[in-house]
């Protein structure tokens, strides 16, 4: 009985890692959709979101089932509760990839990203992938020390977003209202994707250490 | 022992209702901050967010404690898990009020909202209040049937947001890049505030009935 129980607990982690894999694929394809005005990439992200949502539902059902049948305490209970939170954050990361894909779809066959901002958006896409890959690794390895790094990794994303906004607000910006709206939202969606990755990592720290990231001091 | 337990369960509901009260105040003041370029209203929303976050932390601690000490099953477990979700949504509603307040603060002493859009934004603010008030009522009364109404109540918000965007995209729009960005984000933040209120109501339906809103059929 206890063996199945611990297998089920581990399976929660497995599903979370699988969600990071799907969210990474989604954000990569969404970036392609935006930069290449690639409609099939956009559709793939939009229809692929269901698989991420299903994993989140499975985590929720499994967590509920574990709590009802096994009445876990302390560390195990913390694992289950934090898994619920991480599932919720990863599900929303999928949603933000969908929001980006829908911007691309709306502007197809044009690209929503003016040429001068392509490299910044490309970099935001890479940074988003880096964050979600790292989130998957820290879940997989239950590595609280590396999880603490995501907060500063995400500073890079915030910096890129400020770069986008600065460009839009420059007097030389000449791309009109629709591009202004799209780039504003695109910046926001990448930023939120990064924020949720940081939340995932914060929850991993709490899962492993029982402490909130601000209180946890890694050993030297 | 069971009495304290049920008091603690009820206290979760009380904290959620208190969160709706604070979120309502926050969104009302954020709307004032935007429309009247009222810096002190904006600051109030920004500094007041801590109280909402603290309630969410309390719900989380209490839920954890209840699960660890009482090992609830079935309905009680569902109440605790959904309370965690509702706390998370209400916490983010507070965040969206803060985002709006920060737009107002950034543009002070100007208003971020051009005169021709004031009435639409005012209406979005009213609709946001209506949604969060109703969310509080359905939590308070455990009223799944009324909770189902929030989804269509929120359609009104989506319609108002489309009205904002249509105005921005009209060839006669003459308010420049910064106003375009601000109004784009303002529309998004109100929309997200409404979405989270719908999530709260959906979770209330699940809490009370054990069914997802799409599967729950109210009695005639």
């Amino acid at each position: 009985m206890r063996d199945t129980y611990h297998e089920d607990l581990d399976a929660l982690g497995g599903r979370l890692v699988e969600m990071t894999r799907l969210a990474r694929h989604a954000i990569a394809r969404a970036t392609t959709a935006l930069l290449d005005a690639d409609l099939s990439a956009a559709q793939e992200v939009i229809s692929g979101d269901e698989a991420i949502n299903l994993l989140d539902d499975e985590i929720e059902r499994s967590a509920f089932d574990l709590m009802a049948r096994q009445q876990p305490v302390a560390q195990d209970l913390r694992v289950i509760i934090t898994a619920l939170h991480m599932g919720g954050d990863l599900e929303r990361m999928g949603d933000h990839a969908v929001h980006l894909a829908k911007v691309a779809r709306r502007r197809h066959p044009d690209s929503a990203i003016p040429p001068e901002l392509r490299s910044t958006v490309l970099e935001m896409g890479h940074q988003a992938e880096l964050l979600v890959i790292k989130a998957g690794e820290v879940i997989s390895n239950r590595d609280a020390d590396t999880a603490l790094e995501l907060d500063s990794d995400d500073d890079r994303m915030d910096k890129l977003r400020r770069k986008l906004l600065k460009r839009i607000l420059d007097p030389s910006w000449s791309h009109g209202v629709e591009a202004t709206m799209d780039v504003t939202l695109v910046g926001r969606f990448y930023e939120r994707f990064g924020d949720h990755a940081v939340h995932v990592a914060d929850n991993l720290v709490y899962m492993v250490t029982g402490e909130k990231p601000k209180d946890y001091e890694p050993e030297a």
Side-chain angles (χ1 to χ4, degrees), chain A residues 24-157:
Chain A
R24 183 220 170 153
H25 185 71
I27 198 72
R29 295 295 283 161
T31 305
T32 299
L34 282 169
L35 292 176
D36 299 349
D38 182 336
L39 191 60
S40 73
Q43 295 291 12
E44 192 188 321
V45 174
I46 293 162
S47 59
D49 193 46
E50 184 63 14
I52 302 183
N53 296 344
L54 281 177
L55 279 165
D56 187 37
D57 289 347
E58 278 177 33
I59 288 169
E60 177 126 338
R61 257 199 310 279
S62 172
F64 197 88
D65 194 52
L66 278 164
M67 286 191 285
R69 283 191 301 116
Q70 303 289 349
Q71 316 202 317
V73 293
Q75 157 98 10
D76 288 351
L77 184 56
R78 209 165 63 217
V79 168
I80 296 172
I81 298 290
T82 48
L84 283 171
H85 285 308
M86 290 193 272
D89 277 305
L90 286 161
E91 190 268 322
R92 278 189 291 278
M93 289 163 78
D95 288 346
H96 286 296
V98 168
H99 296 322
L100 290 168
K102 286 186 173 170
V103 172
R105 185 173 69 178
R106 192 170 61 233
R107 290 298 291 278
H108 180 81
D110 296 325
S111 167
I113 309 300
E116 70 212 76
L117 288 176
R118 289 176 60 85
S119 67
T120 309
V121 169
L122 184 65
E123 211 182 327
M124 292 180 95
H126 283 161
Q127 194 61 21
E129 280 191 74
L130 182 152
L131 285 163
V132 70
I133 289 168
K134 204 160 176 177
E137 285 169 358
V138 299
I139 296 169
S140 202
N141 304 325
R142 299 201 172 201
D143 179 352
D145 291 1
T146 305
L148 289 174
E149 297 173 10
L150 267 86
D151 193 34
S152 55
D153 293 339
D154 188 45
D155 290 346
R156 177 80 195 129
M157 184 71 97

Side-chain angles (χ1 to χ4, degrees), chain A residues 117 120 124 154-170 183 187-188 191:
Chain A
L117 288 176
T120 309
M124 292 180 95
D154 188 45
D155 290 346
R156 177 80 195 129
M157 184 71 97
D158 296 340
K159 209 170 280 176
L160 288 164
R161 187 190 178 208
R162 281 196 296 275
K163 195 171 159 187
L164 275 193
L165 299 190
K166 204 175 151 200
R167 187 67 202 83
I168 297 177
L169 290 170
D170 192 272
V183 173
R188 171 105 193 136
E191 182 199 30

